[in-house]
Amino acid sequence: WVFFIYLFINNLTIMEKISKEQAIQEIQSLVFEHTFENKTTDEIEKDYPQLIKAVIDGKCVLGDKPTLELYKPITDDEGNVTTSIIEFKTRIKPLAMASLTKGVDMSKETYMAVILMNCHLSGLAKGLYNNLSKIDEKVVSQLCSIFL
C-alpha cells in the first residue's frame, strides 16, 4: 500500500505543471495582450476557472499559438482518436467574421454566433465542436472568449 500511495502522491506532483498563481499571471498577460484589459486575480479566477485548471495541468499552453491537449480526445464511431490537440487562432479577421455571421440574427442567435466563432478560432468543424466533452468545451469557450 505504501508503494501505491507513493505513486499517487508523485502523480499529483507530476500532473501540476505550474502553480495556480503562475497560471493566473499567464492568463492575465494573454487577456491584456488581446484586449488591453487589466483583469485582477479575482476576475481571472471568476471568468476562467477551467482554463486556469488546464494551464496548471499542462493541458493548455498559452503563447503566440495557444494549444490545448483535450482531457477527453474526440473519437470516431469506431473509437479511433480523431482530435486530441487543438491549436488556436488568436483573432478572427473582419471578412472571416462577416462570413461566419452571415445569415445569423445576432439579436436572437447570439449563442449560435459564439459557437461559430469558437469553431473558427479552434479550427474545429461544428460536428467536432459538438463532440467536445463538457470540460473541454468550457476550456475552449473560455480561451476563445479572450480572442473575440
Side-chain angles (χ1 to χ4, degrees), residues 69-136:
E69 178 185 346
L70 298 175
Y71 282 93
K72 184 178 177 195
I74 299 171
T75 57
D76 61 18
D77 292 338
E78 288 82 42
N80 300 313
V81 172
T82 59
T83 306
S84 61
I85 296 177
I86 298 173
E87 187 175 289
F88 291 84
K89 296 176 186 174
T90 57
R91 76 179 279 230
I92 302 174
K93 294 181 181 180
L95 290 175
M97 179 69 83
S99 177
L100 286 171
T101 57
K102 185 176 182 174
V104 177
D105 183 345
M106 295 298 275
S107 64
K108 295 179 183 176
E109 300 175 291
T110 307
Y111 189 66
M112 176 55 86
V114 170
I115 290 172
L116 292 172
M117 289 182 260
N118 288 354
C119 287
H120 178 79
L121 290 169
S122 66
L124 294 174
K126 289 184 273 187
L128 288 178
Y129 187 86
N130 197 47
N131 289 328
L132 287 171
S133 69
K134 189 173 183 176
I135 187 69
D136 288 321

